[in-house]
Amino acid sequence: MAAIDQAMSTAAFSNRVRPAAPGVKGPDIAGPGVEIYSSWLMPKRYNSIAGTSMATPHIAGLAALWAQAAAGNRGQALKDILLSKARALPGGGTRRGDIGAGLGQAPP
């Protein structure tokens, strides 16, 4: 999972291919992960936070929408749909090790 910011740049903390870790393939897909408005402990109630743990629920929600769109969208087929429908990001060819297939998208 890659985390991107509002400018579609890969967050500094995001998962990516690292030359010092041979065999690590990097993320498959990217989701919003910087300055995400989130519920928080009282008395604050809300906060903007960042992390791949903020990007992951976005992609999980998209997976649920794609699964609901057709009964056959399960397992590997669901993953294939998510990756094939991802929006290409600027510099995507050279950023593949940072963002995978691109930004996850909801079904139309």
Side-chain angles (χ1 to χ4, degrees):
M1 172 62 55
I4 58 172
D5 64 18
Q6 293 84 347
M8 303 297 173
S9 298
T10 308
F13 55 79
S14 186
N15 180 24
R16 56 179 41 92
V17 173
R18 301 196 189 280
V24 175
K25 73 176 192 75
D28 290 322
I29 197 165
V34 177
E35 294 185 29
I36 304 300
Y37 196 60
S38 180
S39 54
W40 208 251
L41 297 174
M42 294 292 284
K44 197 170 185 177
R45 292 191 184 194
Y46 302 103
N47 193 15
S48 291
I49 57 178
T52 54
S53 57
M54 298 309 293
T56 300
H58 284 90
I59 301 302
L62 295 175
L65 291 172
W66 283 106
Q68 184 181 27
N73 293 345
R74 301 291 186 273
Q76 186 63 47
L78 180 56
K79 180 179 178 181
D80 292 345
I81 289 168
L82 279 167
L83 298 180
S84 70
K85 301 296 185 180
R87 186 173 97 195
L89 294 174
T94 58
R95 293 174 60 199
R96 195 107 174 122
D98 287 354
I99 58 169
L103 179 62
Q105 299 294 296

